[in-house]
Amino acid sequence: MAKKHIPRASTSNPDDFERLKMELATFFTEARKRLGYKTKDEFADAKNYTRSQYSEYESGTANPTVETIFNLLFEFGLKPENLFKLPGKLNQNSEVTQIYIPSAKIEQLREQVKLSIGLEVAIKLTDQKATRILRTLAYCTKPKSKADILSNLGLKNTTNNFHRAIGHALEFKWLEMTNPESRQSPEQRYVITEEGKRVV
């Protein structure tokens, strides 16, 4: 029996195919901005994509494979099911929706804390704390203010929230102040360290 010929979507339904590519492009753009990367180039550099390659994903000119889409979802900290919300926007109000870090990444962080700091500290590092730390480290590839960091986590801008959310990141030297001589400076910013980059 002759095999049935299945026409390519790009030729049989070109309008629908192009619309899907543009919806994917919009999804990638929103996810990248949600992570705190203001430009395509900034994200590409941080995640080891070539700038031209990643730019095509956000412009809708590329035809990414399923594997490429899966890998991008991982880099965005999203689950595959998030993709099926197209073309709806990601929920900006829910921290659970906003933040997804694979459990293996959280366990890797705990193991690193256990080896460098101690088991007692690692045990106290809850999933929520670990997730907030990992997301903040990814967000602070460029210097960010305390208000920016807390807003990115969906938390109110208070000193207590700041210390509870990322105090460990500062303590473990994964995050550092841009102006350590004047800790209370209104111009104070926080940026990931080389040690922090190894964690992420």
Side-chain angles (χ1 to χ4, degrees):
M1 181 182 294
K3 291 183 178 179
K4 182 180 178 181
H5 173 69
I6 300 176
R8 293 175 62 88
S10 56
T11 56
S12 60
N13 296 289
D15 291 342
D16 288 344
F17 183 72
E18 289 303 316
R19 182 162 55 250
L20 176 59
K21 285 169 63 178
M22 292 310 301
E23 287 179 356
L24 272 174
T26 300
F27 182 89
F28 294 151
T29 301
E30 291 176 1
R32 184 253 303 163
K33 290 180 178 178
R34 178 191 59 84
L35 259 187
Y37 295 95
K38 293 183 179 179
T39 69
K40 292 180 286 187
D41 288 349
E42 185 180 345
F43 178 83
D45 292 345
K47 302 299 182 179
N48 294 320
Y49 287 95
T50 65
R51 292 184 175 188
S52 59
Q53 175 190 23
Y54 182 74
S55 179
E56 289 182 353
Y57 297 146
E58 284 200 17
S59 66
T61 57
N63 187 9
T65 64
V66 172
E67 183 177 12
T68 296
I69 293 171
F70 183 86
N71 290 337
L72 281 169
L73 288 171
F74 179 83
E75 297 294 358
F76 292 136
L78 297 173
K79 297 179 180 180
E81 51 264 38
N82 287 117
L83 185 64
F84 298 101
K85 295 178 180 179
L86 287 174
K89 295 185 180 295
L90 299 171
N91 183 350
Q92 296 294 325
N93 299 318
S94 168
E95 187 179 2
V96 174
T97 302
Q98 197 176 37
I99 305 171
Y100 171 70
I101 301 291
S103 57
K105 194 72 175 176
I106 292 174
E107 289 307 316
Q108 180 184 339
L109 182 70
R110 281 204 189 94
E111 185 64 23
Q112 198 154 349
V113 170
K114 184 175 79 172
L115 293 173
S116 58
I117 311 296
L119 177 61
E120 185 177 348
V121 177
I123 291 173
K124 292 179 180 178
L125 193 63
T126 65
D127 285 2
Q128 184 185 59
K129 286 181 179 178
T131 296
R132 286 174 171 172
I133 287 172
L134 287 167
R135 184 163 181 231
T136 298
L137 293 179
Y139 181 61
C140 290
T141 54
K142 302 288 184 183
K144 300 293 193 305
S145 69
K146 176 168 72 75
D148 288 337
I149 292 169
L150 291 174
S151 175
N152 188 55
L153 294 175
L155 299 173
K156 290 183 177 179
N157 184 13
T158 69
T159 299
N160 284 340
N161 278 344
F162 187 73
H163 287 306
R164 279 197 297 265
I166 66 150
H168 282 314
L170 290 166
E171 180 184 346
F172 301 155
K173 302 188 186 306
W174 296 336
L175 206 65
E176 66 183 4
M177 291 180 261
T178 57
N179 187 5
E181 293 79 18
S182 182
R183 302 172 70 89
Q184 303 303 320
S185 168
E187 301 302 316
Q188 188 67 264
R189 298 292 183 270
Y190 300 84
V191 67
I192 191 170
T193 63
E194 289 302 318
E195 185 68 27
K197 289 177 183 177
R198 287 192 281 273
V199 172
V200 176

